């Protein structure tokens, strides 16, 4: 026996045969003799204050709740929102339990478009291209990591992911047959060893259990979250993952300071015009600190290479004087984030984090997790907790997607779990279309460490893959627009400080864009093609537009602005941006909420504005 659900939108049946069950200690719940002993409904309207807001500071949320209590000490809870629904199991068993499997099946009534981030293994960094294809065209047995997005024949969007993920493996979704999908989970790992290729970070699983979680019997399980919108642009407002995840109730996180980061690794420490050899050394990092200070950036990152080895994290490499750098950064009002591999951190977490805190580090960037099993999910929680005790920020790189941990631990400021700009160092996969799929797919799960900011820009025909002097596909303004479009409270500047100094006008503009938002208003969007979005921080507004390889013209209506006059500073694709992707034009004008403005975006282009009240 299973619990079944169907999804209707405007009386149209879109998903049929949604089935729910959980197998605990070899018993399937609900079983044949299952009895509902209580049924309760409630309508709730609440305001959530986001401690580190990526879309809204105040989230007004309304939902209808249905809880079905069964006679075998478990319940199923459903919540229906204006923009979607979610459900989860809750158990009230006295003893610990083994979860063998959780059934999550659903079938579409008609063929649907799907943005399918196909995986080839459950050992994954979640760095997949979203295949834009028909569900019927995905072979049975192929599976994807979450989030995943479907679009029905009538163009209703159904975005699927999970929330409030604790002490349980990540969910993957597998194509079953025809138009059906089913759940797939990594099992509990019983034995593992280092791989001889890069043994500091790659592992071989030797033995797995036949269950997916060994956990307490009194608990709630992760929410299965469906965000549903008729308009593509409304996906950009969705907060369901955050809303459904448990919130911080104990700690004061006022010390968490979002901001922007000068990043070293993408640009290969390739600075110019200096009197010392650039590389992983004290002088180079002083240069990064000076750059960050000059532009008001809050942080720099010291990526792989600063420590004695990747596994010896308590000592620096001989060319790095950490106390000197920390002291220098402090004088310049800049703070330092340190890169670490997850496994060495996990083996000696308290001592390592104590050392980093005593040095004066602001946080850690944790890398190469690759797994999504129960133990790894618990590692993320432990890292968040131990970092919070020492007032350290956490950026999870080489990571699975966010699933609500930042709601309880606002020091978890960003996650990778996507194919970001770093891939431009070795591939031509980071296209304008890819950039315009991410906001409607991966970004609904939570902040994304895409690392924008390339100052060398080319159209596809002129694009070259270069490891040490990488570039981006699309225009300069396309990159600048990402600072408004892509959500990450810790937003990187990926290019090197020498390039940014040469491009002072663009860098100065980026430096004025915040990394958190009090309000978000999507203006227009089509998944994978274009979007226009407005965001507010304090009394200033920020508007950005991006397009795929098709040039486009839009009219922006500024009626979302409060009354009053505003100064708008904007950067647009230059008149020759279709030939030279680096061509841009900066302008200023006065506007108010009756103003309208025509904008032209080149192929792979963008437009971005900072709007300040007069």
């Amino acid at each position: 026996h299973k619990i079944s659900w169907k999804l209707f939108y405007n009386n149209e049946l879109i998903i049929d045969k949604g089935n729910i069950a959980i197998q605990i200690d070899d018993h399937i719940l609900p079983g044949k003799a299952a009895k509902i002993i209580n049924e309760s409904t409630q309508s709730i309207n609440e305001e959530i204050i986001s401690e580190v807001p990526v879309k809204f500071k105040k989230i007004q949320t309304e939902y209808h709740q249905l809880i079905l209590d069964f006679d075998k000490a478990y319940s199923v809870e459903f919540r229906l929102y204006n923009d979607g629904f979610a459900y989860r199991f809750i158990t009230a068993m006295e003893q610990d339990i083994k979860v063998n499997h959780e059934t999550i099946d659903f079938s579409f009534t008609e063929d649907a478009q799907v943005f399918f981030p196909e995986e080839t293994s459950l050992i994954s960094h979640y760095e997949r291209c979203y295949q834009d294809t028909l569900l019927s065209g995905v072979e049975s047995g192929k599976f994807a990591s979450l989030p995943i997005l479907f679009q029905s024949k009538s163009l209703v969007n159904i975005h699927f992911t999970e929330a409030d993920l604790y002490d349980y493996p990540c969910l993957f979704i597998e194509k079953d047959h025809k138009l059906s999908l089913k759940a797939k989970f990594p099992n509990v790992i019983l034995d593992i060893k280092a791989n001889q290729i890069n043994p500091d970070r790659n592992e071989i699983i030797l033995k797995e259990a036949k269950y997916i979680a060994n956990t307490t019997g009194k608990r709630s399980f992760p929410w299965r979250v469906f965000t549903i919108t008729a308009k593509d642009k409304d996906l950009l407002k969705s907060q369901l993952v955050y809303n459904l995840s448990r919130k911080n109730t104990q700690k004061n996180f006022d010390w968490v300071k979002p901001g922007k980061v000068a990043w070293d690794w993408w640009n290969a420490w390739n600075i110019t015009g200096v009197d010392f050899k650039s590389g992983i050394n004290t002088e180079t990092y002083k240069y990064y600190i000076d750059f960050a200070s000059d532009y008001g950036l809050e942080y720099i990152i010291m990526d792989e290479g600063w420590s004695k080895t990747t596994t010896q994290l308590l000592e620096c490499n001989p060319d790095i004087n950490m106390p000197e750098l920390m002291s220098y950064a402090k004088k310049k009002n800049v703070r330092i984030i340190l890169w670490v591999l997850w496994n060495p951190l996990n083996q000696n977490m308290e001592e390592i984090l104590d050392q980093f805190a005593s040095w004066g580090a602001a946080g850690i960037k944790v890398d190469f997790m690759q797994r999504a099993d129960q133990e790894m999910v618990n590692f993320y929680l432990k890292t968040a907790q131990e970092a919070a005790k020492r007032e350290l920020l956490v950026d999870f790189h080489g990571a699975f997607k966010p699933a609500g941990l930042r709601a309880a631990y606002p020091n978890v400021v960003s996650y990778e779990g996507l194919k970001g700009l770093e891939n431009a160092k070795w591939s031509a996969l980071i296209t304008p279309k890819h950039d315009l799929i991410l906001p409607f797919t991966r970004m609904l799960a939570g902040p994304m460490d895409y690392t924008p900011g390339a100052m060398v820009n080319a159209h596809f025909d002129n694009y070259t893959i270069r490891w040490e002097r990488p570039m981006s596909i699309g225009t300069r303004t396309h990159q600048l627009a990402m600072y408004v479009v892509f959500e990450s409270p810790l937003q990187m500047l990926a290019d090197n400080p020498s390039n940014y100094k040469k491009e002072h006008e663009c860098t100065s503009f980026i430096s004025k864009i915040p990394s958190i938002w009090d309000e978000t208003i999507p203006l227009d969007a089509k998944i994978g093609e274009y979007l226009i979005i407005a965001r507010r921080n304090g009394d200033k507004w920020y508007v950005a537009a991006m397009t795929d390889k098709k040039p486009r013209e839009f009219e922006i209506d500024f009626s979302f602005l409060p009354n009053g006059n505003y100064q708008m500073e904007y950067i647009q694709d230059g008149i020759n941006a279709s030939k030279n992707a680096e061509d841009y034009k900066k302008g200023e004008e006065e506007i108010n909420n009756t103003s309208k403005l025509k904008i032209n975006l080149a192929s792979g282009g963008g437009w971005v504005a900072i709007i300040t009240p007069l």
Side-chain angles (χ1 to χ4, degrees):
H1 279 246
K2 296 184 179 85
I3 300 162
S4 293
W5 56 270
K6 296 182 179 190
L7 171 66
F8 293 85
Y9 193 95
N10 283 345
N11 296 322
E12 177 196 356
L13 180 62
I14 293 175
I15 292 179
D16 197 7
K17 305 191 191 92
N19 293 319
I20 301 171
I22 193 164
Q23 190 176 350
I24 292 175
D25 297 330
D26 298 322
H27 299 292
I28 293 174
L29 309 175
K32 286 184 179 174
K35 286 195 183 102
I36 295 173
I37 55 172
N38 190 40
E39 184 180 317
S40 59
T41 57
Q42 204 178 356
S43 292
I44 292 167
N45 190 337
E46 61 183 347
E47 184 178 78
I48 299 167
I49 304 293
S50 178
E51 292 187 76
V52 180
V54 299
K55 293 181 199 289
F56 298 96
K57 180 70 178 165
K58 293 178 179 172
I59 306 163
Q60 204 62 40
T61 180
E62 293 176 67
Y63 58 89
H64 298 304
Q65 178 178 286
L66 166 67
I67 299 176
L68 302 175
D69 296 322
F70 288 82
D71 60 344
K72 296 280 195 282
Y74 68 95
S75 309
V76 182
E77 180 178 358
F78 290 88
R79 289 188 187 174
L80 184 62
Y81 292 80
N82 290 330
D83 61 343
F85 78 97
Y87 71 84
R88 67 175 173 181
F89 279 95
I90 299 166
T91 52
M93 297 159 188
E94 293 299 329
Q95 71 289 358
D96 284 356
I97 56 174
K98 283 190 171 71
V99 181
N100 305 93
H101 187 64
E102 184 184 340
T103 299
I104 302 164
D105 299 342
F106 53 95
S107 300
F108 284 82
T109 52
E110 292 185 280
D111 208 355
Q113 200 70 17
V114 60
F115 293 86
F116 193 81
E118 185 185 318
E119 297 281 0
T120 53
S121 168
L122 295 174
I123 302 294
S124 170
H125 287 302
Y126 280 59
E127 295 180 24
R128 315 306 291 178
C129 286
Y130 276 84
Q131 298 168 23
D132 180 0
T133 186
L134 285 169
L135 181 55
S136 62
V138 177
E139 286 175 45
S140 293
K142 297 281 187 190
F143 65 95
S145 47
L146 299 181
I148 187 168
L149 177 66
F150 306 91
Q151 204 166 48
S152 74
K153 276 265 172 79
S154 55
L155 302 183
V156 174
N157 296 301
I158 302 101
H159 180 281
F160 180 56
T161 192
E162 60 187 332
D164 203 50
L165 174 67
Y166 287 88
D167 197 29
Y168 202 72
C170 288
L171 166 64
F172 292 74
I173 198 83
E174 181 180 332
K175 173 71 185 291
D176 193 3
H177 54 84
K178 292 183 182 173
L179 304 177
S180 300
L181 298 114
K182 64 180 181 181
K184 185 180 181 77
F185 293 95
N187 290 326
V188 165
I189 293 171
L190 299 175
D191 194 13
I192 202 161
K193 72 168 187 177
N195 191 329
Q196 289 184 330
I197 302 163
N198 296 329
D200 62 343
R201 66 199 71 192
N202 289 343
E203 299 173 313
I204 297 170
I205 295 170
L206 299 173
K207 191 177 179 189
E208 294 181 19
K210 290 194 164 72
Y211 50 87
I212 64 171
N214 191 354
T215 185
T216 176
K218 283 189 175 172
R219 61 163 297 167
S220 58
F221 287 81
W223 287 102
R224 309 309 174 196
V225 187
F226 294 82
T227 302
I228 296 147
T229 70
K231 292 178 180 168
D232 291 4
K233 70 175 186 178
D234 288 341
L235 288 169
L236 301 171
K237 292 190 295 193
S238 171
Q239 288 278 76
L240 287 185
V241 170
Y242 187 84
N243 293 356
L244 286 159
S245 297
R246 66 196 69 173
K247 308 298 184 292
N248 163 46
T249 52
Q250 287 122 3
K251 292 190 176 63
N252 177 353
F253 281 94
D254 289 352
W255 54 269
V256 173
K257 187 179 178 188
K260 292 184 288 299
V261 190
W263 183 34
D264 52 356
W265 183 85
W266 191 74
N267 58 76
W269 303 267
N270 200 352
I271 58 178
T272 56
V274 294
D275 296 326
F276 54 84
K277 283 228 168 174
S278 68
I280 304 171
N281 55 49
T282 301
E283 291 87 352
T284 298
Y285 281 113
K286 282 186 173 178
Y287 184 90
Y288 276 81
I289 290 164
D290 287 341
F291 162 68
S293 178
D294 289 347
Y295 284 95
L297 311 180
E298 291 82 356
Y299 302 99
I300 71 157
I301 269 193
M302 296 176 67
D303 213 295
E304 180 171 359
W306 70 265
S307 55
K308 186 172 182 181
T309 68
T310 55
T311 56
Q312 292 173 287
L313 299 172
L314 294 168
E315 295 176 69
C316 298
N317 100 35
D319 297 324
I320 293 288
N321 184 330
M322 190 65 78
E324 185 183 341
L325 281 173
M326 290 285 178
S327 169
Y328 188 75
K330 191 173 183 181
K331 280 186 206 140
K332 295 274 186 166
N333 203 24
V334 173
R335 298 199 65 200
I336 297 174
I337 293 165
L338 298 173
W339 176 94
V340 295
L341 283 175
W342 84 271
N343 210 356
L345 175 67
N346 191 37
Q347 286 168 16
N348 190 17
M349 189 177 289
E350 293 192 23
E351 189 181 358
I352 288 166
L353 294 184
D354 283 344
Q355 174 75 78
F356 289 4
S358 71
W359 278 338
I364 53 175
K365 173 180 173 178
V366 193
D367 207 350
F368 280 95
M369 282 74 81
Q370 298 185 90
R371 287 164 35 198
D373 53 278
Q374 180 188 18
E375 181 187 22
M376 185 56 76
V377 170
N378 290 341
F379 164 77
Y380 282 57
L381 173 61
K382 176 182 156 190
T383 304
Q385 289 171 331
E386 293 298 328
K389 285 180 195 170
R390 296 159 180 83
E391 298 197 354
L392 295 169
L393 303 177
V394 181
D395 176 15
F396 286 117
H397 209 66
F400 56 68
K401 86 286 172 200
L405 182 61
R406 72 182 186 92
Y409 292 90
N411 61 314
V412 176
V413 278
S414 204
Y415 283 71
E416 193 187 23
L418 58 87
K419 206 173 265 299
L421 190 68
E422 68 173 24
N423 287 264
K425 284 170 76 81
W426 59 81
S427 80
L429 294 170
I430 308 306
T431 62
K433 177 178 178 174
H434 173 76
D435 298 336
L436 281 149
I437 291 173
L438 291 175
F440 306 93
T441 50
R442 164 63 181 79
M443 202 163 83
L444 271 70
M448 51 185 208
D449 194 14
Y450 173 99
T451 69
M455 292 288 116
V456 182
N457 320 100
H459 293 299
F460 202 83
D461 295 349
N462 302 313
Y463 176 74
T464 308
I465 295 166
R466 307 188 303 191
W467 180 266
E468 296 209 330
R469 295 174 64 195
M471 61 176 74
S472 71
I473 302 172
T475 70
R476 169 71 55 79
T477 320
H478 187 84
Q479 288 289 310
L480 301 185
M482 291 174 179
Y483 286 91
V484 175
V485 174
F486 289 169
E487 295 162 359
S488 178
L490 200 65
Q491 191 64 278
M492 305 281 168
L493 278 73
D495 218 319
N496 83 62
S498 305
N499 283 358
Y500 284 125
K501 287 178 178 182
K502 286 177 201 157
E503 300 290 349
H504 170 75
E505 194 168 56
C506 289
T507 309
S508 175
F509 193 91
I510 292 169
S511 75
K512 296 176 192 170
I513 300 173
S515 62
I516 53 172
W517 308 105
D518 297 326
E519 189 178 351
T520 292
I521 302 176
L523 301 176
D524 194 7
K526 190 157 177 29
I527 296 161
E529 295 184 22
Y530 62 85
L531 67 78
I532 311 169
I533 196 165
R535 299 192 194 264
R536 179 178 63 81
N537 178 298
D539 61 358
K540 291 186 180 179
W541 288 83
Y542 303 78
V543 183
M546 290 166 63
T547 184
D548 61 2
K549 66 181 180 183
K550 185 177 175 182
R552 298 178 197 273
E553 182 182 277
F554 297 103
E555 183 175 75
I556 296 184
D557 180 339
F558 292 97
S559 58
F560 60 85
L561 292 171
N563 289 334
N565 294 319
Y566 296 82
Q567 185 71 18
M568 178 170 72
E569 180 186 357
Y570 62 89
I571 292 183
Q572 65 186 29
D573 290 325
I575 199 163
N576 293 306
S578 59
K579 295 181 195 167
N580 182 339
E582 290 176 12
D583 188 33
Y584 71 89
K585 184 184 177 189
K586 189 167 181 289
E588 289 193 28
E589 61 181 89
E590 275 193 40
I591 61 165
N592 59 36
N593 59 13
T594 65
S595 302
K596 292 184 179 178
L597 178 71
K598 278 203 163 58
I599 62 168
N600 286 287
L601 279 62
S603 171
W607 185 91
V608 61
I610 299 171
I611 302 170
T612 308
L614 288 169

